[in-house]
Amino acid sequence: DSALSAHSVMGLVISALLFVICVSGTIAVFEDELEWWEQAGTPTVHEVSPSVMQATAEEVLKRDPETTHLYMYPPRENWPRFVAGGDNGIFVLNESGEFVRQLEAPWNDFLIELHYYLTMPHSLGIIIVAIFGVMLVSMAVSGLLAHPRIFRDAFRFRRTGQARLAQADLHNRLSVWTTPFLIAVAGTGAMIGLFGVVAFVFAQTNFGGDTKKLSEAIFGGEILEADATPAPITGVDTALINLDRDIPEANPFIVIVHEPGTKSQHIEIYGDETNRLIYGETYTYSTDGKLLATGHNSDGPVGQQVAMSMYRLHFGDFGGALMKSIYFLLGIMLCIVVATGLNIYFLKRREKGRAAPRLEAMWSGWIWGSMAMLPITLTVSLLGVSGGWLIAMFWLGSIVFSGVATAWMSAASAGLMFRAIFGAALLSASLVHLLRGDMDWTNAYMVTISVALLATGGAFVARALWSKRFS
């Protein structure tokens, strides 16, 4: 029995980490919007001229003279903002190129660390997250094979009667509806995470262990030979003007100056391929405005096009706000599938006379405790806490919630109480954000997020109070 309990705890830990990856990924669909929301007072920018881009590059190099790259993100139709910086910091600018403030979004940074790496060292964390992606895909496929009637019963849902059957119906129905999404998202996540491992192995067998040669074979090598001789930073405006002349439909959304302030500096521009999944087509210009190279991400080898499509397919970063909203809803369904999977297991044990109420409470405590810790950490980040403190607070807080539920609560009571805390934390985050006083009420992105947090938090608190009243 102790061995069985140990097996159950191990499965619970794996499921708990998988749940965190799914929840953080669901929220990270709106990472750009949340980043802006954290600094709501920064300006909306719809257009930036080539001359302003040139002046911005010069100013960034003055502020960060040791940087090896300059990054500038001009506004685009669905992202009216202008940010720029170097290796040691990114800044928010207005349409005139004036530096408003340094870009700081500590909770959004924490969210990305959580989803990409489970807040572990990056080289290890991304592999572990990728392995979970492989597990998700295999579970989806095996689940479909194990239930031959699963598509025929796609709309069968028993909400009354035996608890296990209701949970099983919820789990199976959502699994069917989310299968294409799950395979696409988990599959691309696994490919992104395991790319480094695969590249290392492939380089050993085909490129004499040189991963740089492999990367150059896929994405192209250096355009110009390195020459560190100092030179004034020029040509950003010329490159943008010539790109608009040569390829009017390019829609530049990232401009990178490589080796700025040296003779080998050159300008790489990412053009937004609005009708494609690829991250973008690249155009590299010399400082005198000559087109040196095109990345051929849109018309190159199939493998290159697939590799360049992973990010957008994984995060739903195509199709605008509607597609992001669809990804968000499907992500919520995936979280429910993960949560109900263990619920069914515990209910089966109970039916067989081997109930594990402590483990049930632990699972319920983790699900809603880790959920509550997300808006709790958001609230404290708005009050000035950042970095490692947010990471420590999330993991320790989630463990404490789960531990309290295990020691003193039933699964049902833990779920009820922690849902109320989750709702209250959402309300607190939105209220603290409003009290900071930098809210731009003309910015639809900001208003939508604040209203969503208030409405969702209020709904969870009201539901918990209603349930308590009639329990």
Side-chain angles (χ1 to χ4, degrees), residues 430-453:
S430 55
L431 291 174
V432 167
H433 185 265
L434 290 172
L435 291 173
R436 291 200 314 175
D438 62 351
M439 180 70 172
D440 181 1
W441 292 102
T442 64
N443 189 317
Y445 293 94
M446 306 300 98
V447 174
T448 300
I449 291 175
S450 290
V451 169
L453 290 175

Side-chain angles (χ1 to χ4, degrees), residues 194-207 209 211 214:
L194 293 176
F195 177 80
V197 177
V198 174
F200 176 79
V201 173
F202 196 74
Q204 296 299 318
T205 57
N206 293 273
F207 292 90
T211 54
L214 170 63

Side-chain angles (χ1 to χ4, degrees), residues 6-268:
H7 176 76
S8 299
V9 171
M10 188 179 299
L12 195 149
V13 170
I14 292 172
S15 298
L17 294 177
L18 178 60
F19 181 78
V20 168
I21 294 170
C22 292
V23 168
S24 57
T26 299
I27 300 170
V29 167
F30 294 110
E31 61 171 304
D32 290 337
E33 291 79 3
L34 287 167
E35 179 187 74
W36 197 357
W37 184 81
E38 284 193 71
Q39 285 194 320
T42 54
T44 300
V45 180
H46 294 286
E47 188 176 358
V48 176
S49 67
S51 60
V52 168
M53 294 287 285
Q54 174 63 43
T56 298
E58 295 170 8
E59 180 62 25
V60 170
L61 190 58
K62 286 181 185 177
R63 293 172 179 246
D64 190 358
E66 301 301 318
T67 188
T68 58
H69 296 84
L70 301 182
Y71 305 95
M72 293 175 283
Y73 303 85
R76 45 181 167 164
E77 184 177 354
N78 63 340
W79 191 236
R81 202 178 187 204
F82 182 29
V83 300
D87 294 334
N88 301 301
I90 302 293
F91 298 85
V92 181
L93 296 84
N94 64 19
E95 61 185 6
S96 302
E98 297 172 349
F99 285 62
V100 177
R101 65 172 79 170
Q102 188 159 1
L103 176 61
E104 294 177 335
W107 190 81
N108 196 68
D109 295 340
F110 154 73
L111 180 69
I112 298 305
E113 286 288 318
L114 186 61
H115 181 64
Y116 279 40
Y117 314 108
L118 277 175
T119 67
M120 298 179 187
H122 290 185
S123 57
L124 173 64
I126 197 168
I127 293 173
I128 291 176
V129 171
I131 291 171
F132 275 102
V134 174
M135 289 171 53
L136 262 180
V137 173
S138 63
M139 284 190 289
V141 174
S142 61
L144 292 177
L145 295 176
H147 299 84
R149 294 178 49 183
I150 198 166
F151 288 105
R152 189 168 65 181
D153 295 339
F155 296 97
R156 184 184 181 192
F157 184 31
R158 292 164 290 196
R159 297 193 61 183
T160 59
Q162 205 172 3
R164 180 178 63 81
L165 295 178
Q167 288 282 310
D169 278 354
L170 179 61
H171 178 87
N172 292 339
R173 298 305 81 81
L174 293 184
S175 296
V176 172
W177 300 338
T178 60
T179 292
F181 166 78
L182 189 157
I183 292 176
V185 170
T188 52
M191 292 176 70
I192 292 169
L194 293 176
F195 177 80
V197 177
V198 174
F200 176 79
V201 173
F202 196 74
Q204 296 299 318
T205 57
N206 293 273
F207 292 90
D210 192 336
T211 54
K212 183 178 179 181
K213 287 184 178 178
L214 170 63
S215 178
E216 290 176 353
I218 299 174
F219 301 108
E222 290 294 329
I223 303 299
L224 298 176
E225 288 189 19
D227 185 347
T229 304
I233 183 167
T234 60
V236 173
D237 49 354
T238 306
L240 287 166
I241 291 169
N242 288 355
L243 177 65
D244 185 56
R245 179 198 66 198
D246 300 336
I247 309 163
E249 68 279 6
N251 297 317
F253 68 98
I254 302 178
V255 177
I256 304 173
V257 182
H258 294 264
E259 311 302 331
T262 71
K263 278 198 172 182
S264 58
Q265 65 191 346
H266 51 281
I267 301 104
E268 182 181 25

Side-chain angles (χ1 to χ4, degrees), residues 27 37-38 105-111 114 119 369-398 401 421-422 425-426 428-429 432:
I27 300 170
W37 184 81
E38 284 193 71
W107 190 81
N108 196 68
D109 295 340
F110 154 73
L111 180 69
L114 186 61
T119 67
S370 60
M371 286 279 290
M373 286 309 303
L374 289 170
I376 288 173
T377 51
L378 175 57
T379 302
V380 299
S381 75
L382 294 172
L383 295 172
V385 177
S386 62
W389 289 106
L390 292 178
I391 293 172
M393 183 177 294
F394 173 80
W395 290 114
L396 290 175
S398 299
F401 273 119
I421 294 174
F422 169 67
L426 286 173
S428 70
V432 167

